[in-house]
């Protein structure tokens, strides 16, 4: 390859390499990852909550820590959060979910289960990755509680000021 001394020469070199790459066959499609029982497994996280999620074909039954989802997550908002990945991927009612979740509060746990379901669906069927990725369900929400600082009442809150 010739020595590159200008931006135009760099552009030409990049175009040549791109043409070589495009001439080759496209990248292979990712294979589904399932265990011997036909389930896909993924771990979801949110705040301090960690969810282990197994997804398999079924009727849409969701079990959290051995209990029904309506019993474990009593608030309708939390149940809606769990249904979002299925609605975005247009597979509502086609998969059974079994998960265990630990740590954090109910809201963080619901977010962790949603993250785990999204990851497990992409492992079960790689075609579902595009809509879930576009909706932002495969990105781990990295926001966590800020630590308390010394000389402060909370992380940022100061002690009450008194003039006298």
């Amino acid at each position: 390859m010739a020595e590159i001394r200008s931006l135009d020469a760099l552009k030409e070199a990049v175009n040549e390499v791109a043409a070589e790459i495009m001439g080759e066959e496209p990248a292979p499609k990712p294979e589904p990852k399932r265990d011997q029982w036909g389930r896909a497994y993924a771990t979801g996280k949110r705040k301090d909550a960690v969810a282990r999620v197994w997804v398999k074909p079924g009727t849409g039954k969701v079990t959290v820590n051995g209990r029904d989802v309506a019993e474990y997550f009593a608030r309708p908002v939390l149940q809606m959060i769990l249904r979002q990945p299925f609605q975005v991927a247009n597979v509502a009612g086609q998969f059974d979910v079994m998960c265990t979740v630990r740590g954090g509060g109910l809201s963080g746990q619901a977010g962790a289960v949603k993250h785990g379901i999204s990851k497990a669906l992409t492992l079960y069927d790689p075609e579902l990755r595009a809509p879930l990725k576009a909706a932002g369900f495969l990105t781990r929400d990295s926001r966590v509680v800020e630590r308390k600082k010394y000389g402060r009442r909370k992380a940022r809150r100061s002690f009450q000021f008194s003039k006298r």
Side-chain angles (χ1 to χ4, degrees):
M1 185 176 272
E3 193 172 325
I4 299 172
R5 293 184 178 256
S6 68
L7 287 175
D8 292 331
L10 178 63
K11 286 180 187 175
E12 289 175 20
V14 168
N15 289 337
E16 289 174 14
V17 171
E20 289 176 20
I21 292 174
M22 296 304 281
E24 296 177 9
E25 59 190 61
K29 292 185 178 179
E31 292 290 320
K33 293 181 182 166
R34 302 176 190 150
D35 63 8
Q36 60 199 21
W37 296 285
R39 304 177 305 182
Y41 168 79
T43 305
K45 296 182 180 181
R46 171 78 174 95
K47 293 187 176 178
D48 278 340
V50 178
R52 299 182 305 161
V53 180
W54 289 268
V55 170
K56 67 177 182 177
T59 59
K61 183 181 175 195
V62 179
T63 308
V64 180
N65 288 352
R67 299 185 346 210
D68 186 53
V69 69
E71 184 184 338
Y72 193 85
F73 293 114
R75 292 199 307 244
V77 173
L78 300 179
Q79 295 173 25
M80 181 199 68
I81 287 173
L82 295 190
R83 286 192 299 266
Q84 284 177 336
F86 297 112
Q87 292 169 346
V88 167
N90 289 326
V91 292
Q94 297 179 23
F95 289 95
D96 286 346
V97 176
M98 199 280 287
C99 66
T100 59
V101 62
R102 292 178 157 209
L106 283 178
S107 177
Q109 288 184 351
V113 172
K114 174 176 125 176
H115 184 227
I117 288 172
S118 302
K119 286 171 63 176
L121 283 174
T122 59
L123 291 175
Y124 188 86
D125 184 6
E127 300 286 323
L128 301 176
R129 180 174 171 79
L132 291 171
K133 181 78 172 165
F137 293 161
L138 297 177
T139 305
R140 192 244 197 257
D141 191 348
S142 60
R143 295 176 296 170
V144 293
V145 177
E146 191 174 344
R147 77 171 189 85
K148 184 193 176 302
K149 316 296 187 305
Y150 64 90
R152 301 239 168 215
R153 198 165 134 208
K154 292 172 26 177
R156 298 186 178 198
R157 170 96 162 94
S158 300
F159 292 109
Q160 184 169 347
F161 174 74
S162 174
K163 196 167 188 178
R164 289 181 186 80

